[in-house]
Amino acid sequence: MRASLSRVYSFTLDDVPLVTRYHSSCPTLFATGDASASIKFFNHYAEDIRGEERQIVATSSRTLGLNAMIYSLDWVDNQILIATSAGRSFLFDSEKLSCVKSIEGHSCSVKTIRSCVFNRNLAVSGGKDGRVLLFDLRTNSPGTLITEVTGERITGAEFFGDERMVLVSHTNSDEVNTLDLRVSLAKSSSRRSFVPVASHASVMRFGPRSHL
């Protein structure tokens, strides 16, 4: 039996969102990113006593001024990381509606970006160029190369367990690899491929707050 979408979550956007991300510390707040490099912030409120439709309010929006798509979002307190098809990511202040910094290091589309819940100064990104990069959000330095998979697109990258471990998935592979940053960073200058300390079958769900 196919489940239908409940109207309590229905709302209308000017453009089709490519990605949506809830704020983990503020569950009524979420953001969407679309194909015109526009990011929108929303608040939704609980059902009233009669169980009527929830009210969802677009609190603000901003266009990044790029001819690009937004592929990935991740909250860092009141700021949000934005990965785009322009080969750049951004750290954006959701309260001031301004760009804090541009994050460089990929040669083409950035497919995913995630912060570290154990150390909010760190973020990791993966791109169509097959690169996985580590960033220190306190600096303006380009990302440090963790690994590069020639001829592959990185489809997922995020911290796992603590700030020393990163989960990575890529195209044409049936595995999700676990990278030890202490090993990968030491070998990054040679641009070697994966140095996995463990592998997990891709049939296990891979994504934000998933459980392997």
Side-chain angles (χ1 to χ4, degrees), residues 79-153:
Q79 299 175 335
I80 192 166
L81 289 164
I82 306 170
T84 75
S85 61
R88 287 186 288 164
S89 298
F90 300 90
L91 184 62
F92 192 86
D93 192 307
S94 65
E95 295 178 348
K96 298 178 181 179
L97 295 181
S98 61
C99 183
V100 177
K101 66 173 61 183
S102 175
I103 302 172
E104 312 286 342
H106 288 283
S107 61
C108 52
S109 297
V110 186
K111 307 299 288 185
T112 182
I113 191 164
R114 289 289 182 265
S115 63
C116 178
V117 297
F118 308 99
N119 184 345
R120 285 303 197 178
N121 295 318
L122 298 180
V124 65
S125 68
K128 188 178 178 180
D129 54 7
R131 294 180 175 183
V132 179
L133 301 177
L134 178 71
F135 298 94
D136 185 337
L137 298 178
R138 297 168 295 184
T139 74
N140 293 318
S141 302
T144 300
L145 182 68
I146 299 175
T147 192
E148 184 171 10
V149 188
T150 304
E152 303 280 349
R153 297 192 305 273

